Amino acid sequence: MKFGYFDDEHREYVITTPKTPLPWINYLGCNEFFSLISNTCGGYSFYKDAKLLRLTRYRYNDMPYDCNGKYFYIKEGDKVWNPGWKPMQTDLDSYECRHGIGYSRFTGSLNGLKAQVLSFVPVNDTCEISRLTLTNETSVEKTFSVFSYVEWCLWNADDDMKNFQRNLSTGEVEVVGSTIFHKTEYRERRNHYAIYSVNAPITAFDTSRDNFIGAYHSQMNPEAVLNGKLTNSMASGWSPIAAHQLDVTLKAGESKDFIFVLGYVENPENNKWESHNVINKKPANALLAKFDTNEKVDAAFAELNAYWDGLLSKYTVESANDKVNRMVNIWNQYQCMVTFNMSRSASYYESGIGRGMGFRDSCQDLLGFVHLIPDRARQRIIDIASTQFQDGSAYHQYQLLTKKGNSDIGSGFNDDPLWLIAGTSAYIRETGDMTILDQMVPFDNDESVAQPLMEHLKRSFDYIVNHRGPHNLPLIGRADWNDCLNLNCHSTQPGESFQTFGPSEGPVAESVFIGGMFVKYGLEYADLCDLQGKTEEAARARREVEEMRKVLLSDAGWDGKWFVRAYDSYGNKVGSHECEEGQIYIEPQGFCVLAGVGVETGEAKQALDSVKERLDTDYGIMILQPAYTVYHEELGEVSSYPPGYKENAGIFCHNNPWVSIAETVVGRGDRAFEVYRKTCPAYTEEISEIHRTEPYIYCQMVAGRDAKFHGEGKNSWLTGTAAWTFVNISQYILGVYPTHKGLSVDPCIPADFGDFKVTRQFREGTYFIDVKQTGSTQKGVKELTVDGQKVDGHIIPYEKGKKEYHVQVVLG
Ligand code: BGC
Ligand code: NOJ
């Protein structure tokens, strides 16, 4: 069952009922100012940091779902309604929400009055614009009132939810004309304030929540709105809000626009005041003046669309499969940009007050956005590498605002170092910019011990070499990619953090998965050494990789039909037929095979066949089987979840693409695509009543076969699934993969996929790639020509400065 449809021409998902199974949201903002916005106008805004500079308040765990936002109430006679249906939930004659790329549009109508809202954040300004268009679709004049409403957050969203003894006394506001200023703490140490304004004279306003809503009402029936009259209240402490009242008359057929701007304004420390205790409003007025007419708003909206046109034209596909086209050309890349901006901070499942930027998360996200914004990817790599320690280990998280490692969580997640190689290699393959390797980068942000980035990569590599256990496999530390395999933790008390309790290192617990990563990224490290002329180091790296490959294929790593997952701190196998529960895990099957382990000797196909046989479901591949039914102290959080959820046998979408990529490595296009399809939003749209999360983007987890709600998605938007799926479909299935020598084209597609075209910008060139599938070939390039010239192999030689490449590829 669907709750809307894709409008590919406009790059929108059109939601046709407000009663979606869960709030279906979108993100506004590209640089510094961001908003989350749901299909019923819920959500919140922040400047740069969702925790520290939160502009509007949101209530988590609320009921009904999603109860605060930027709302417009329309009161005509006794009827009060909202264009996005919530919060009043008045039955509307029509409702539509269009989530687009960086904007959302809402249309509601009642009794011949149509209200449209277009919300977006301009590319380079620190505000959100909501243009409200009201149209009288009847043949008689209409008179009604419009009320706006936002609730301010007192900046630090964490403190705002806790520190009431102070916060209920600090709120301060000011009103000048149609602009409401939220200036809490500006008198003392803040140099910023927020504004909410409309480009028309207002009849009245409110800034006290109790006056607007009423102490015993809610957003669903705000007292002042029901009374039809705001009270011009001036908040002093308690809960400041911003609400405007506009009294509107529309002739038959007439339409009027009102432009609302919610802005963040910062003043230089020495220019905070106009006069004694009068805040400097000049930058606020300048901001508002930029968007005070329809023409200016249209221009800003056009600029936003052009910005996205630019990004989304870097990789496009035209195939016979609309769903693939739509995901590749629009939604998958869009989600990659959102994960670039948000990491794992602010979604409807991540509160924005929790973790900072994950070391491994950010490196993996980069794989999906590096082709879109290489310069910003470069900076991101430097920021991440700056939180590495001298021994090659790394802070597991860092804060975007300070760029400092987060000592609460600390280090000891032993896969982290290798992800830095993954991200850097992807950046250099994409851009050819080797200078990044020479850039001096501090360790733990200490410039006095800075070393070239290449030295950081060496230390990443050596960290694994120097931290091996009894089987010569990498030690796991606190956990590897699977944050819930806490093999050294042994926690027995509720509330202890699985990630930080217990020793950060143990001499016994090992990870086969990190071994697979080491093969993949150790070889990429060796390639970088070669490019720098360090042939001995390259040879050493390859020797280490070969040793690891042998261990993986020995009895220590190979279980007979699949790869073992790990060894616990007693030296017992995890993810082996010897175990009672958790006999097979997805991660080492996907990663060892995509790294090429066992491809020649048959283990690769066998491991993938075992995945299909034991882990596959209609909704994707589960992370492990059988699910843990009891808590295993020696394993940690993985066994803490009820069977079928999250890391305990959920379908963790992130590592489904690893299996799909692995299938392309062994040349099985049909199966690779089947794995791609099962978690692909454009396909699961059809079962939205089961899947429940947004059908245009990936979620982190779908409940596995053991769960009560098998097939139900959770944790949408901020997941490494976005990047890995884009890598999978664009680089492995469609097969256009950036190498140091140039673009490689080596697709692996289903037998019935048909011909397709890819247009790819790569370094200075645009590549027009035409792929012909002869018969039912799934993989194998029979012929490749570049501008009419035959080329051996499947790499298009890169020519510096060349602008256009016309490439014909024949599979067969
Ligand atoms: C979740 C993991 C997540 C970790 C972050 C755990 O509770 O299950 O998916 O990576 O928290 O710290
Ligand atoms: C989500 C975390 O953000 C990520 O770092 C981790 O790899 C996965 N969960 C799996 O545990």
Side-chain angles (χ1 to χ4, degrees), residues 7-285:
D7 176 347
D8 293 338
E9 195 194 325
H10 296 102
R11 300 191 301 221
E12 291 171 340
Y13 191 79
V14 188
I15 302 169
T16 47
T17 165
K19 293 184 193 167
T20 45
L22 292 163
W24 284 0
I25 75 162
N26 194 12
Y27 285 85
L28 315 179
C30 325
N31 285 306
E32 298 185 322
F33 188 106
F34 296 99
S35 300
L36 283 69
I37 187 163
S38 73
N39 60 311
T40 53
C41 297
Y44 59 88
S45 300
F46 61 92
Y47 175 72
K48 281 190 182 171
D49 186 312
K51 174 176 173 181
L52 298 177
L53 290 172
R54 184 79 65 98
L55 305 183
T56 59
R57 193 174 269 169
Y58 194 72
R59 290 192 176 74
Y60 315 93
N61 274 337
D62 207 1
M63 37 86 48
Y65 282 147
D66 186 33
C67 259
N68 232 0
K70 251 156 259 143
Y71 295 130
F72 297 107
Y73 296 86
I74 295 168
K75 181 172 193 299
E76 187 183 10
D78 288 343
K79 278 272 184 206
V80 183
W81 56 282
N82 310 97
W85 183 64
K86 279 190 73 180
M88 295 294 297
Q89 302 186 16
T90 306
D91 285 340
L92 301 179
D93 292 339
S94 75
Y95 159 92
E96 185 184 82
C97 162
R98 289 178 171 257
H99 283 320
I101 304 300
Y103 67 88
S104 293
R105 286 178 191 277
F106 304 85
T107 308
S109 64
L110 190 63
N111 297 335
L113 178 58
K114 183 163 90 177
Q116 291 167 293
V117 183
L118 166 67
S119 296
F120 69 100
V121 171
V123 180
N124 289 313
D125 287 287
T126 59
C127 64
E128 177 185 329
I129 295 171
S130 301
R131 176 162 62 192
L132 174 67
T133 305
L134 298 157
T135 308
N136 178 356
E137 292 185 316
T138 71
S139 50
V140 289
E141 188 173 276
K142 276 182 178 286
T143 299
F144 54 94
S145 298
V146 173
F147 306 90
S148 70
Y149 168 77
V150 299
E151 181 178 1
W152 300 115
C153 179
L154 306 185
W155 306 113
N156 180 329
D158 189 25
D159 190 74
D160 184 67
M161 293 195 304
K162 299 196 298 223
N163 195 5
F164 307 114
Q165 62 80 25
R166 168 179 163 85
N167 295 342
L168 294 179
S169 293
T170 55
E172 290 190 274
V173 295
E174 198 176 320
V175 183
V176 180
S178 301
T179 305
I180 297 168
F181 294 79
H182 174 226
K183 56 179 191 177
T184 299
E185 292 186 345
Y186 190 84
R187 272 182 318 94
E188 25 119 354
R189 292 155 297 173
R190 293 191 184 274
N191 66 343
H192 44 262
Y193 55 82
I195 50 174
Y196 195 36
S197 187
V198 55
N199 70 336
I202 54 175
T203 318
F205 62 85
D206 263 317
T207 65
S208 151
R209 193 181 75 197
D210 285 349
N211 282 56
F212 181 79
I213 293 219
Y216 297 99
H217 285 233
S218 75
Q219 298 98 324
M220 294 171 76
N221 53 7
E223 224 166 33
V225 173
L226 299 185
N227 291 338
K229 187 84 198 85
L230 298 194
T231 67
N232 291 342
S233 59
M234 291 302 294
S236 176
W238 299 105
S239 294
I241 59 147
H244 305 95
Q245 174 171 358
L246 296 159
D247 293 334
V248 187
T249 301
L250 289 179
K251 296 199 201 68
E254 198 191 358
S255 199
K256 270 188 191 162
D257 293 298
F258 298 96
I259 300 163
F260 290 83
V261 175
L262 177 85
Y264 169 88
V265 178
E266 219 168 72
N267 276 322
E269 208 54 52
N270 59 6
N271 204 6
K272 277 178 64 170
W273 305 105
E274 257 164 39
S275 56
H276 180 67
N277 270 355
V278 179
I279 68 176
N280 176 0
K281 302 190 184 70
K282 277 204 199 88
N285 292 331

Side-chain angles (χ1 to χ4, degrees), residues 344 355 360-361 396 480-484 647 652 700:
R344 304 292 171 271
R355 40 195 172 145
R360 79 158 81 87
D361 294 334
H396 193 47
D480 61 18
W481 174 89
N482 190 331
D483 261 325
C484 298
E647 280 86 344
F652 228 87
Q700 181 206 51

